[in-house]
Amino acid sequence: STSDMATLIIVWALFAITFFSIGDAQIVECNGSNCQCPTSSIYAGTTCVLQCNSVDICKGKTLTCRPGDDCEIQCGDYASCSSNAVINAQSASNVNIICSGIDSCKDSIDITCGTGHCGLRCDEKTSCDDWGSIHVSKAESFQCIGHCPSSLPAKFGIPPTVSPTSTPSLPPTLAPTYVPTLPPS
């Protein structure tokens, strides 16, 4: 019937809205030229993800985050954000730079963090070799994890975890399990 079809359409539309808004992020695949988050008002309030996930794709390029919003820059392949690449996030809020490829953020990268948390992750031993600079003066906190260059500013503004917990974990058992719940890896 018509009312059943209308109900089905409404249910499907609600599912689609719920499913597609879970990530609440805008993905921009950079294509080898300067790359930026679109500034259209339809994207306001969403995280912008600039993806430089191919060899040399953002090498020597300028990557620009949207003012007022969170921004993530993914440098996920060999030398993807290397050789004087510039990350301009000075007007963004929280900024995360993920250097996960070999040499991905190598050779004089220049990063200006936003006004919220600024995070840098150097996954490979050479991800952040021959480091350039990172400007954190406007950031409320900064932290680097992984193979971080010694020339980086010290971590600051990261709130400590609440310790001790209100309900501590149980002590280990004295009798081992004879049948494991998962096969060994």
Side-chain angles (χ1 to χ4, degrees), residues 99-182:
C99 303
S100 58
I102 294 172
D103 297 347
S104 56
C105 296
K106 183 178 180 173
D107 293 332
S108 302
I109 191 169
D110 183 27
I111 300 170
T112 303
C113 292
T115 58
H117 174 69
C118 184
L120 174 64
R121 195 173 92 197
C122 302
D123 289 350
E124 299 290 332
K125 274 188 160 183
T126 62
S127 290
C128 298
D129 272 2
D130 298 323
W131 186 254
S133 59
I134 187 163
H135 309 281
V136 296
S137 61
K138 291 183 180 179
E140 62 185 37
S141 60
F142 170 73
Q143 181 175 24
C144 180
I145 58 173
H147 300 277
C148 302
S150 60
S151 61
L152 288 179
K155 115 178 151 173
F156 67 89
I158 307 295
T161 58
V162 178
S163 182
T165 61
S166 58
T167 54
S169 58
L170 298 173
T173 62
L174 299 175
T177 305
Y178 293 104
V179 180
T181 53
L182 296 173

Side-chain angles (χ1 to χ4, degrees), residues 23-77:
D24 201 25
Q26 175 198 13
I27 309 294
V28 177
E29 290 187 37
C30 300
N31 61 11
S33 57
N34 292 334
C35 190
Q36 67 182 17
C37 300
T39 56
S40 172
S41 62
I42 62 169
Y43 299 114
T46 62
T47 299
C48 179
V49 179
L50 296 176
Q51 291 184 331
C52 298
N53 292 329
S54 298
V55 174
D56 294 340
I57 195 79
C58 296
K59 184 176 190 174
K61 304 300 180 209
T62 298
L63 311 173
T64 306
C65 295
R66 184 174 41 249
D69 287 335
D70 292 349
C71 190
E72 180 174 296
I73 298 91
Q74 298 175 354
C75 302
D77 207 334

